[in-house]
Amino acid sequence: MEYDLNTLILSATDSDIEKAAAIIRDGGLVAFPTETVYGLGADAFNEEAVKKIYEAKGRPQDNPTIVHICDISELEKLTDDITDDIKKMAEAFWPGPMTMVMWKKRSIPMATTGGLNTVGVRLPSEEIARELIRKAGSPIAAPSANISGAPSPTKAEHVIKDMNGRIDAVICGTACKHGIESTVIDMTADPPVILRPGVVTAEMAGLTLGKEVRIDPAVNQKIDGEFIPKAPGMKYKHYAPEAEVTVFMGAKPKVRKTMDEAASLLQSKGKSVAVIEFHDAETAARELFDKLRKADDEGMEYVYIAAIPEEGIGLAVMNRMLKAAGYNIVTC
Ligand code: TXA
Ligand code: MG
C-alpha cells in the first residue's frame, strides 16, 4: 500500500475544527484528541470512509470501532434499545471515559462494527472532540490513532509519528488527561460485563446500577488460540513497543532491587534498557504509553517495568502493561 496523502496539521481553533469537520463530511480521516487517547475518526455512517481507518491503521477487519457522539440525544441514531441501565450509566459517566456496547441500528454500516450486531458508543468529555462531531453533523467512528498493535497515542506527536501521510488531518491538542482508553462495558448482557477495564471501574458501574458488574474473564489473562473474547480487540497483540518489555511483580523494594540488578547485567553485556517505575495509578495511566514510545525513540532494546497494584484504575493499567509485555513477567 502506497501512502501519498499530505496530512494537514491543525490546531484546536474554531476554524481549524471546521476544516477537520469538512474533511469528515467528505469521507476523509481526521485524528483528534479525547480525554483518554487520540482517536482516528471517520463518519460512522460512511462505509467507505470507515474502511479507510482500517487501512491506515493496518487494523484487522473484525475489530469494531467505537462510535463517538457529541450529545446524549444522538444515541437514538445508533440504537433502538435504550434500556434503563443504559440511561443510568449515561447519566453517571457521560460525558467521559466509558463506552457502552448496545444493539445496533441496521443503518450503521457493518464495517463500523466489525461485522457485529452491536455497537460501542461513547460520549467523550474532551470539548475538541465534541465540537468536531457537532460540526461534522454525524457520529464519528474512531479507534485509537496508532498503527495497529502499537501503544495508543496520548500526545499529538505520537499520532503524527504513526499516521503522517496515511490520514488527511490531525487536530493537535494537549496531552490526554487520562492516558488509557475508555472502559468498555457490554450492556447487552444483564448484568452488564466489563470487556475492557478503564477509569470507570466495575465497582463504580455496580454502584450505579445496583447490581454486581463482573469483569470478562479474558481481561488480564493470556489469551490462547481456543479462546474467543467478546471484545474482538482483546485477541490481538496490543500496546507493544519495538523494545522487549518485561513486567516485574512483587513487593516494591524487592522489585526495585531485582530490576536494577537485571538492568545492570544487561548493560554489562552492552545492551540498552529503560527502567520504568510509577508511584501512583493515575500517573501510570497518563504516562505508560508515552514512556513505552520514548523507549523506542531512544533506541532501547529492553524495557523493565514495575507492576502496580491491580486496584481501581490500576487494573486497567496492568491490563495494558501486561499486553505490552506479551505476558512476559518476572515474579520477585
Ligand atoms: O478511549 C477510547 O475508547 C478510545 C478513544 C479514541 O475514544 N478509542 C479506542 O478504540 O480505544 P479502539 O478501537 O482502540 O478500542 C476499542 C475496543 C476494542 O477492544 C474493540 O474490540 C471494543 O472496544 N469494541 C468496540 N465495539 C465493540 C462491540 N460492538 N462489541 C464488543 N467490543 C467492542
Ligand atoms: Mg486501540
Side-chain angles (χ1 to χ4, degrees):
M1 175 85 213
E2 291 262 310
Y3 292 97
D4 53 7
L5 273 173
N6 247 334
T7 301
L8 253 183
I9 309 293
L10 299 172
S11 60
T13 58
D14 214 43
S15 64
D16 270 10
I17 297 176
E18 177 48 46
K19 274 185 206 158
I23 292 170
I24 298 275
R25 286 195 299 269
D26 285 348
L29 302 185
V30 176
F32 59 95
T34 84
E35 72 277 22
T36 57
V37 302
Y38 275 72
L40 175 54
D43 178 348
F45 285 96
N46 182 335
E47 181 150 28
E48 289 314 308
V50 171
K51 281 183 180 162
K52 286 196 262 176
I53 295 180
Y54 287 83
E55 223 170 79
K57 279 183 61 100
R59 182 178 174 97
Q61 302 274 340
D62 69 345
N63 193 2
T65 62
I66 290 172
V67 177
H68 298 68
I69 55 178
C70 63
D71 189 88
I72 186 91
S73 60
E74 281 193 300
L75 206 46
E76 287 169 12
K77 295 184 187 168
L78 304 171
T79 185
D80 292 321
D81 205 20
I82 305 175
T83 61
D84 286 344
D85 280 355
I86 288 176
K87 284 183 197 154
K88 282 184 198 160
M89 288 293 285
E91 198 160 303
F93 303 114
W94 277 356
M98 181 210 48
T99 297
M100 285 191 270
V101 172
M102 50 191 86
W103 298 111
K104 88 185 237 321
K105 271 203 165 162
R106 290 182 64 163
S107 51
I108 305 172
M110 278 296 185
T112 301
T113 61
L116 298 176
N117 290 322
T118 54
V119 58
V121 186
R122 184 159 102 80
L123 173 54
S125 64
E126 169 59 64
E127 189 47 45
I128 299 167
R130 289 220 302 273
E131 192 56 25
L132 176 67
I133 302 162
R134 211 172 284 132
K135 286 188 190 318
S138 174
I140 291 182
S144 48
N146 51 282
I147 295 288
S148 200
S152 297
T154 55
K155 293 179 173 173
E157 67 201 54
H158 301 159
V159 179
I160 293 167
K161 176 135 200 274
D162 278 19
M163 291 297 162
N164 196 19
R166 293 170 177 251
I167 63 176
D168 297 288
V170 50
I171 303 175
C172 299
T174 52
C176 299
K177 180 175 150 201
H178 296 302
I180 53 167
E181 309 86 343
S182 61
T183 303
V184 177
I185 181 163
D186 181 4
M187 302 302 292
T188 68
D190 194 13
V193 178
I194 304 264
L195 304 182
R196 181 176 70 181
V199 172
V200 174
T201 63
E203 294 74 32
M204 289 158 74
L207 281 173
T208 299
L209 296 174
K211 46 181 121 173
E212 194 192 351
V213 171
R214 287 180 311 107
I215 297 174
D216 190 87
V219 172
N220 288 5
Q221 168 180 307
K222 192 171 180 170
I223 293 170
D224 65 28
E226 302 293 304
F227 193 87
I228 302 173
K230 283 201 210 76
M234 311 255 330
K235 69 174 180 271
Y236 297 109
K237 173 179 170 252
H238 233 131
Y239 315 120
E242 297 292 322
E244 191 180 308
V245 182
T246 305
V247 175
F248 289 72
M249 285 181 155
K252 243 185 178 181
K254 223 169 162 201
V255 162
R256 188 168 302 150
K257 187 162 176 283
T258 313
M259 276 203 308
D260 286 346
E261 284 170 3
S264 300
L265 191 66
L266 272 184
Q267 280 156 346
S268 72
K269 292 178 184 163
K271 305 278 184 199
S272 54
V273 53
V275 176
I276 302 173
E277 200 177 0
F278 295 109
H279 297 295
D280 66 87
E282 279 72 23
T283 311
R286 209 166 46 242
E287 294 183 357
L288 175 66
F289 293 140
D290 185 47
K291 291 227 186 289
L292 294 177
R293 282 177 175 267
K294 218 163 249 161
D296 278 352
D297 291 345
E298 290 167 357
M300 294 292 166
E301 295 159 280
Y302 298 90
V303 170
Y304 285 173
I305 185 163
I308 64 167
E310 293 190 22
E311 294 154 6
I313 181 184
L315 179 78
V317 174
M318 286 313 298
N319 171 258
R320 309 320 192 259
M321 200 191 284
L322 290 170
K323 279 175 192 282
Y327 294 88
N328 193 10
I329 301 166
V330 170
T331 308
C332 308

